[in-house]
Amino acid sequence: MSRVDVRKTYKLYVGGAFPRSESGRTYPALDAADSVLANVADGSRKDLRDAVRVARGAQAGWAERSGYNRGQVLYRVAEMVEDRADTFVDQIRASGPTRAQAKREVDRSIDRLVWYAGWGDKFAQVFGNLNPVQGAFFNISAPEPTGVVGIVSPEEPALLGLVSRMAPVVISGNTAVLLASERWPLTAITFSEALATADLPAGVVNILTGRKDKLVPVLSAHMDVNAIDAWGNGWQGLDAIEIAAADSVTRVVRPPRSIEWADDRSSQSPHMIADFTELKTVWHPKGL
Amino acid sequence: MTVARGSDSISGVSTPATISDTSPILGQSVSRRSLETYLRATPSVDEVAANERAAALATRSIKRESKMHALELTIRMMDLTTLEGMDTPGKVTQLASKAIRPDPTDPTIPSVAALCVYPNMVPTASEALHGTDIHLAAVASYFPSGQAPLAVRVADTQWAQQAGADEIDMVIDRGAFLSGDFVKVYDDIVAVKEACGPAHLKVILETGELATYDNVRKASMLAMAAGADFIKTSTGKVSPASTRPVTLVMLEAIRDFEAMTGFQIGMKSAGGIRTAKDAIRYLVLVSETMGKDWMTPRMFRFGASSLLNDVLMQIRWLRSGVYQNPDYFTKD
């Protein structure tokens, strides 16, 4: 006797919890052949507002932790993703790639998390500096997290793209509000389940599924967002994001002309951590 | 005179109350017996019903235009408050300019109803508010505990009034109330009311310390009979401060007192009201309990400090459609 399918309706990931969309709406996540895999939440602008609020609330505490500790937490996220590797592979395959390709994407996502985890207690030494100045002063620059970062994840590759942009943002002490791939949202949802079981404090990463054409303008214009990562958005519509972000002087991190997500040399770099930090420079008197 | 009540009343059926023998509402001294007779006529409050009614009214959906109106009304009803041990003349002056023009970038935002400060800060505030319609409230009578000899509390009140306060927020002696010494509480209010002179008297019941809604109701009746112009929930120094069910209980007491005596007493909810959403829920409660006539700062006030910025943020959001950041609004 065949079992009745368990039909899933996934929810958002906000503040360490899995709330339904305030709007109550969902949309179907389709596979490459357009048959329904599951229903996912259609996040509204109020969900986005709530996500920014909890991200803001979580930011100071996350930034206060040592870089070493943030690295440990990110490493733990990699462990949790590893545990769910089969689920990720199945979900990626449903979007078209072969099993081998899907496996490669999952492995690379895990490796990338581990790689950025290692930078937790090192990037400040690389980007910080004792500046040479003429006078009896020490002049010290140190990178600090910029605050709350809105990340527009790329449509494809959904998992690797999301991980590649989230890890450098979060490792320096920023908190993030992520808009998942609209066409392939399932890996982002499974990723949020991995985050919930890692030791990531509630609110540090928040993942919304929903219509990007509706959410991206609200995210860009939100006065309480410090930076927008537009890599996943691409160049189309970038000017609209930059105009909306200009009112609150929100930094918009532009994508390169073309992105090779699987290429470690162009898609992972400590400079991507620095993109979401502010240099604080301090003058300190020297001498006795 | 029988107490009139609406179908939505949360209080039980009361026995007809007579207050004519001693006329406590006239603020004369009163005998223990007549005061106890008067208070015994206070109906008991159905706690479950009060909570349910307040919760049910909180689910009311408010449409966009009404919300805009409610937010502006909230500002006009606000007693902008600073009651910290670390208050300085500079901070009070700053807060006074915020009271006059809450959003420096937007002249269409109305001024608040009053500025509420400690007596020491009254001269500074009075000078800063000179020439405006904004009232100046001082918390007096040994705020927030009220645990001082009556002479001290009266002198405190007189000083504040003479220094320029036209509204006085006094606290009742909760110790006396809870130990059943109603006459002392009554006499204190009468004495402070007298010391107020022309100033408006708000009597703080500190409902968070009164333990039951029955006590809240009883203290409300007591304060109104003794001559309060307003009754007020809390000092803001005790948790829980103002809650919506407590406000409902006090409003119904006010409604019944008016039916009984013809005197219209105002209401001030203070403490713990921090968001615009919460403030709108209070307005719904007031409107549903007391009617449209009460949608004025003459009858209802909010005592708050951080509420103002949240209201300003909501107004700017409603106008621009862009979610706001508290960093863009003045701190004081």
Side-chain angles (χ1 to χ4, degrees):
Chain A
M1 204 173 92
S2 70
R3 247 181 101 234
V4 177
D5 285 348
V6 179
R7 301 265 177 195
K8 301 189 188 82
T9 299
Y10 289 108
K11 297 187 278 188
L12 307 167
Y13 181 57
V14 176
F18 293 93
R20 288 199 173 76
S21 168
E22 160 280 332
S23 67
R25 286 193 288 267
T26 59
Y27 73 99
L30 309 176
D31 66 9
D34 279 352
S35 52
V36 177
L37 293 167
N39 287 309
V40 301
D42 184 3
S44 69
R45 58 181 190 174
K46 282 193 183 173
D47 296 318
L48 193 141
R49 172 200 64 183
D50 294 346
V52 172
R53 187 183 297 148
V54 297
R56 174 62 64 199
Q59 202 266 323
W62 179 238
E64 229 168 65
R65 295 196 179 206
S66 69
Y68 177 67
N69 183 239
R70 284 196 298 271
Q72 284 179 309
V73 171
L74 210 61
Y75 187 84
R76 168 114 177 121
V77 173
E79 289 177 357
M80 294 297 105
V81 173
E82 175 90 31
D83 280 350
R84 288 170 170 75
D86 291 344
T87 311
F88 282 116
V89 168
D90 290 345
Q91 286 172 341
I92 294 168
R93 280 187 69 203
S95 67
T98 63
R99 171 169 288 278
Q101 287 167 331
K103 180 84 173 59
R104 271 203 298 279
E105 184 185 335
V106 174
D107 289 348
R108 197 167 296 278
S109 303
I110 296 165
D111 293 350
R112 204 153 276 179
L113 282 168
V114 172
W115 192 81
Y116 277 113
W119 276 102
D121 54 358
K122 300 173 188 71
F123 78 94
Q125 291 89 311
V126 175
F127 294 102
N129 195 30
L130 179 63
N131 308 313
V133 288
Q134 193 168 31
F137 299 98
F138 288 117
N139 184 266
I140 304 156
S141 291
E144 292 190 346
T146 189
V148 174
V149 179
I151 301 175
V152 184
S153 303
E155 287 298 297
E156 292 172 0
L159 177 66
L160 182 58
L162 181 153
V163 167
S164 303
R165 300 313 292 167
M166 184 218 79
V169 164
V170 167
I171 190 66
S172 67
N174 293 301
T175 53
V177 175
L178 259 143
L179 305 184
S181 166
E182 183 178 330
R183 178 70 180 86
W184 316 112
L186 292 190
T187 49
I189 292 162
T190 306
F191 186 68
S192 68
E193 287 165 5
L195 292 175
T197 48
D199 300 318
L200 200 71
V204 169
V205 175
N206 306 278
I207 300 182
L208 303 178
T209 50
R211 311 279 174 200
K212 280 189 183 162
D213 59 349
K214 200 172 61 184
L215 293 176
V216 170
V218 181
L219 182 65
S220 322
H222 199 305
M223 302 290 281
D224 209 10
V225 170
N226 298 94
I228 304 277
D229 175 34
W231 271 50
N233 183 81
W235 283 77
Q236 190 156 15
L238 188 63
D239 49 349
I241 294 179
E242 291 186 331
I243 290 167
D247 251 357
S248 52
V249 208
T250 299
R251 171 180 305 171
V252 178
V253 175
R254 291 180 163 198
R257 279 290 164 190
S258 68
I259 307 172
E260 280 299 324
W261 290 100
D263 177 19
D264 286 343
R265 275 179 304 181
S266 65
S267 290
Q268 71 176 27
S269 157
H271 291 281
M272 291 170 191
I273 302 175
D275 281 344
F276 299 96
T277 59
E278 311 292 337
L279 272 188
K280 182 199 260 181
T281 298
V282 179
W283 294 73
H284 191 279
K286 197 193 274 181
L288 297 171
Chain B
M1 211 184 292
T2 317
V3 178
R5 52 189 66 261
S7 56
D8 57 347
S9 175
I10 44 114
S11 309
V13 179
S14 74
T15 48
T18 320
I19 52 164
S20 55
D21 333 339
T22 48
S23 295
I25 54 158
L26 296 181
Q28 294 154 354
S29 74
V30 67
S31 76
R32 170 177 288 274
R33 231 192 66 205
S34 58
L35 192 58
E36 276 176 358
T37 312
Y38 165 72
L39 289 178
R40 209 173 296 130
T42 311
S44 67
V45 179
D46 181 343
E47 187 178 331
V48 174
N51 290 339
E52 293 259 309
R53 174 111 180 112
L57 289 174
T59 61
R60 197 64 67 81
S61 150
I62 308 294
K63 300 303 171 208
R64 201 183 173 83
E65 310 84 74
S66 314
K67 195 180 278 177
M68 196 62 167
H69 182 72
L71 291 172
E72 278 175 1
L73 184 60
T74 302
I75 295 179
R76 287 196 288 116
M77 284 178 164
M78 197 176 299
D79 285 8
L80 191 60
T81 304
T82 180
L83 298 172
E84 301 293 338
M86 57 186 178
D87 282 348
T88 58
K91 185 182 175 191
V92 170
T93 310
Q94 217 170 316
L95 203 65
S97 49
K98 180 151 184 157
I100 297 166
R101 190 151 162 191
D103 186 345
T105 64
D106 188 349
T108 64
I109 305 283
S111 301
V112 302
L115 186 65
C116 183
V117 295
Y118 271 123
N120 251 358
M121 292 296 145
V122 167
T124 312
S126 173
E127 194 179 323
L129 292 176
H130 186 75
T132 68
D133 295 337
I134 299 170
H135 296 284
L136 176 52
V139 291
S141 81
Y142 215 68
F143 182 95
S145 71
Q147 298 282 10
L150 183 59
V152 174
R153 302 177 62 193
V154 165
D156 188 23
T157 309
Q158 264 166 351
W159 192 90
Q161 191 269 324
Q162 280 159 14
D166 63 347
E167 295 185 355
I168 298 291
D169 289 26
M170 77 165 286
V171 285
I172 63 165
D173 181 346
R174 282 85 71 191
F177 181 87
L178 290 170
S179 56
D181 194 353
F182 303 129
V183 175
K184 173 166 191 320
V185 179
Y186 184 92
D187 288 346
D188 285 357
I189 300 174
V190 170
V192 172
K193 169 74 182 168
E194 205 180 316
C196 277
H200 207 70
L201 178 65
K202 305 188 200 117
V203 178
I204 304 170
L205 308 180
E206 195 64 293
T207 53
E209 292 181 343
L210 297 185
T212 65
Y213 291 168
D214 280 347
N215 278 347
V216 171
R217 168 98 190 187
K218 207 179 267 183
S220 304
M221 297 309 281
L222 181 69
M224 289 188 286
D229 296 306
F230 263 62
I231 50 176
K232 173 174 166 184
T233 54
S234 324
T235 58
K237 303 286 180 199
V238 168
S239 182
S242 176
T243 66
R244 275 174 286 110
V246 154
T247 302
L248 176 62
V249 170
M250 290 170 70
L251 286 171
E252 293 210 344
I254 290 172
R255 194 173 66 186
D256 293 348
F257 187 79
E258 189 189 347
M260 233 161 72
T261 65
F263 282 81
Q264 214 181 27
I265 310 296
M267 169 80 200
K268 176 171 170 182
S269 293
I273 308 168
R274 292 193 186 87
T275 64
K277 192 177 254 182
D278 208 15
I280 291 175
R281 289 176 175 161
Y282 273 89
L283 289 180
V284 171
L285 187 76
V286 175
S287 172
E288 288 295 319
T289 313
M290 309 304 287
K292 300 266 178 301
D293 298 350
W294 264 62
M295 296 288 99
T296 155
R298 221 169 34 78
M299 299 315 300
F300 187 79
R301 296 277 183 86
F302 288 109
S305 43
S306 57
L307 173 64
L308 181 55
N309 266 12
D310 196 57
V311 172
L312 293 175
M313 267 171 62
Q314 297 312 314
I315 290 178
R316 208 180 280 180
W317 176 75
L318 277 175
R319 288 190 180 158
S320 67
V322 173
Y323 288 120
Q324 299 297 315
N325 172 352
D327 291 350
Y328 288 78
F329 295 83
T330 55
K331 283 260 157 58
D332 293 311

